[in-house]
Amino acid sequence: MVIADEVGRLLDRIEVDRALWTDGSMPSTTPLTGEQIAMVQVADAAAIDEALGKAAAAFRAWRNVPAPRRGELVRLLGEELRASKDDLARLVTIEAGKVPSEGAGEVQEMIDICDFAVGLSRQLYGLTIATERPGHRMMEVWHPLGVVGVISAFNFPVAVWAWNAAIALVCGNSVVWKPSEKTPLTALAVQAIFDRAAARFGDAPQGLAQLLIGGPEAGEALVDDRRVALVSATGSTRMGRSVAPRLAARFARAILELGGNNGAIVAPSADLDLALRGVAFGAMGTAGQRCTTTRRLFVHDSIYEGFVARLKAAYGSVAVGNPLESAVLVGPLIDRAAFEMMQQALAAAKAAGGVILGGERIGEGASFYVKPALVEMPGQVGPVLEETFAPILYVMRYYDLDAVMAQHNDVAAGLSSAIFTTDVREAERFLAASDCGIANVNLGTSGAEIGGAFGGEKETGGGRESGSDSWRQYMRRATNTVNYSDALPLAQGVSFDLP
Ligand code: UN1
């Protein structure tokens, strides 16, 4: 009850309409204790249809607003997020179970992408291209795309919306968001924060950024409705397998951020203190519930015993528990299903010859706290080949960099990767060989900054979000050629002379 009271205070301060989270039919619980904290209103089919109609109309108005002016709205959003940072971060802790510094970090990522997008709003550059025809000019112009659907997962309940929405908005699009059913309250809070920015902006079209809370049908509507030009979906590879063909069937655009099975390598020359911290955060941070979490660790035979002993000590001493009650580094798993999947993976690892440290449940009741598990494996077999969304680190011994790179790449996902080494040749060989969208040297697999393009290859889905030139996916490119001569030379020297 105490947590529910605090949630009420936070939502009131962020000015979320009480009816939205007290009068609804969908219960919302906190993984910290398992208790119910709200009853959230759900969008039915009529509400979804209406929202998509409004989003389409909002797009038609917003696309005509000059991009730097669109950036002003995102600048105000960044200001509002700064003002609500502590409250929103606390809600992230309560609803997703993140420890406070990670909750705050997530909101900081939203602020960072707003800053990035504001600058971008004056830099949506196209190319001018040399033409082969005299008296002609050829150029590429980027236009707003349409309604952008965002489907996000529980583990980054607010930042993923921001990576997509901040960019989509400066690109001239409207946004409709379907958050995870496990995290509706943080989504309501973000919507209220956005609405405040829009009110300060003054003349933003109604329905420019909307929220659809509900089950799979809301996500399916975004995927199947022709009014939605692009769907950016974050979640499991299983979800991607259902979403991708449906989007392809109507030739809609997709940005897919799916599973990861991220590997890190600790080489003989590594700075082992640094590697220890990098691996520990990558594997145990966010209770192993990031798509960038380190799940496979390859340690060179020459340093294996010493390094793994230190890692085991770190696993033995890491503080796990309710982040509202004490200073911990690892919070709860999101729910019972996550706990059961973790136990199944550990049982499979044991059956495949794995030696397990940790993995036990701490406490009982409706919340699921576990000791992070370190599993020494005889090879890359069984559950090591799959992503289990829980803190399990499979540790393997290696002898040769080329061989371990082949093994590293021999999994279905291709999101993030890392090597710890002080040997520049080895570092470069790793960067050249990793088949992931993210490859790091002397830092862990998780915790990317927003300035880079974020995403991965193979079953991770191929999409890129956030920085660099990811914005291009949110726009439509037109190649324009203008003839300012009084002749009509045809390309490739073709002649077509009428008699
Ligand atoms: C995710 O887990 O869905 O690099 C994304 C990171 C974060 C993003 C994780 N910036 O770990």
Side-chain angles (χ1 to χ4, degrees):
M1 207 51 226
V2 186
I3 297 187
D5 291 346
E6 181 175 3
V7 167
R9 280 195 300 277
L10 291 167
L11 291 174
D12 283 346
R13 259 209 311 267
I14 299 174
E15 292 173 31
V16 180
D17 179 355
R18 275 196 161 246
L20 294 174
W21 55 274
T22 57
D23 285 358
S25 58
M26 190 171 97
S28 158
T29 57
T30 168
L32 299 180
T33 60
E35 72 197 271
Q36 186 177 313
I37 48 177
M39 282 297 267
V40 184
Q41 286 183 11
V42 168
D44 61 14
I48 294 171
D49 185 60
E50 194 190 321
L52 293 179
K54 274 207 255 176
F59 166 67
R60 287 191 292 274
W62 189 239
R63 68 181 171 187
N64 296 325
V65 175
R69 173 83 184 131
R70 301 194 296 246
E72 170 61 9
L73 171 60
V74 174
R75 194 187 67 76
L76 293 169
L77 175 60
E79 276 190 9
E80 292 297 335
L81 284 166
R82 282 176 169 88
S84 292
K85 181 176 175 185
D86 293 347
D87 289 342
L88 185 57
R90 184 86 173 168
L91 267 180
V92 169
T93 290
I94 293 172
E95 202 177 38
K98 290 193 180 191
V99 298
S101 87
E102 291 198 44
E106 172 151 6
V107 182
Q108 187 58 46
E109 266 192 291
M110 304 176 80
I111 294 167
D112 294 344
I113 196 72
C114 285
D115 288 355
F116 179 94
V118 174
L120 181 64
S121 72
R122 292 180 183 268
Q123 300 174 78
L124 301 170
Y125 303 139
L127 297 172
T128 305
I129 300 162
T131 144
E132 64 192 60
R133 286 168 286 189
H136 283 55
R137 181 162 65 89
M138 182 155 62
M139 61 201 166
E140 279 184 353
V141 178
W142 294 86
H143 298 279
L145 182 68
V147 178
V148 172
V150 179
I151 298 175
S152 62
F154 79 85
N155 68 326
F156 274 81
V158 290
V160 168
W161 173 82
W163 301 332
N164 285 284
I167 304 285
L169 288 169
V170 299
C171 289
N173 304 310
S174 57
V175 180
V176 183
W177 178 21
K178 152 70 174 86
S180 164
E181 289 145 86
K182 294 169 190 165
T183 53
L185 298 179
T186 42
L188 285 169
V190 168
Q191 183 68 41
I193 290 167
F194 174 83
D195 290 345
R196 209 157 32 246
R200 282 175 63 195
F201 181 79
D203 54 355
Q206 241 230 323
L208 184 58
Q210 299 176 81
L211 177 61
L212 294 178
I213 288 183
E217 50 313 322
E220 283 165 17
L222 294 179
V223 169
D224 294 333
D225 197 295
R226 291 192 50 203
R227 288 170 291 187
V228 181
L230 160 69
V231 173
S232 174
T234 301
S236 63
T237 295
R238 194 171 56 86
M239 179 274 283
R241 266 191 227 292
S242 121
V243 163
R246 287 162 75 159
L247 289 168
R250 65 178 181 90
F251 298 98
R253 283 198 199 170
I255 298 177
L256 300 175
E257 302 289 354
L258 310 175
N261 189 357
N262 315 296
I265 295 170
V266 184
S269 71
D271 174 336
L272 294 180
D273 294 338
L274 185 151
L276 185 75
R277 289 181 51 220
V279 171
F281 173 66
M284 295 190 279
T286 330
Q289 299 173 112
R290 286 195 194 213
C291 48
T292 49
T293 292
T294 309
R295 308 201 180 279
R296 299 177 293 140
L297 182 69
F298 302 96
V299 183
H300 192 267
D301 178 62
S302 61
I303 52 163
Y304 186 94
E305 303 303 338
F307 185 73
V308 174
R310 289 183 68 189
L311 200 54
K312 283 181 178 169
Y315 268 71
S317 68
V318 73
V320 182
N322 183 336
L324 297 186
E325 285 169 5
S326 55
V328 295
L329 292 180
V330 178
L333 294 178
I334 190 69
D335 57 16
R336 175 185 295 279
F339 171 72
E340 284 170 358
M341 278 187 301
M342 178 176 180
Q343 297 310 308
Q344 277 166 25
L346 289 175
K350 196 168 172 195
V355 179
I356 302 170
L357 171 79
E360 307 90 0
R361 186 169 175 196
I362 301 173
E364 49 189 24
S367 57
F368 293 86
Y369 293 87
V370 289
K371 290 193 183 155
L374 184 155
V375 187
E376 288 182 87
M377 290 298 293
Q380 188 161 264
V381 291
V384 187
L385 294 166
E386 282 150 36
E387 174 187 53
T388 301
F389 222 61
I392 304 176
L393 180 66
Y394 299 109
V395 185
M396 289 156 283
R397 197 183 287 264
Y398 84 93
Y399 300 88
D400 168 73
L401 188 64
D402 289 334
V404 81
M405 286 316 299
Q407 209 177 358
H408 171 273
N409 290 346
D410 192 21
V411 291
L415 179 54
S416 187
S417 57
I419 192 168
F420 293 89
T421 178
T422 56
D423 176 336
V424 69
R425 290 183 182 156
E426 200 167 46
E428 293 292 338
R429 279 167 67 199
F430 164 80
L431 293 177
S434 169
D435 64 359
C436 292
I438 297 169
N440 296 332
V441 177
N442 291 329
L443 63 154
T445 57
S446 69
E449 306 174 19
I450 57 87
F454 179 86
E457 301 303 328
K458 302 192 292 186
E459 289 191 4
T460 302
R464 292 295 187 277
E465 287 170 344
S466 275
S468 184
D469 63 353
S470 306
W471 63 270
R472 292 174 181 218
Q473 300 163 102
Y474 301 80
M475 299 199 89
R476 165 174 77 73
R477 178 196 331 230
T479 302
N480 302 148
T481 309
V482 177
N483 174 6
Y484 57 87
S485 75
D486 51 13
L488 188 70
L490 300 180
Q492 298 91 40
V494 170
S495 59
F496 196 83
D497 295 327
L498 295 172

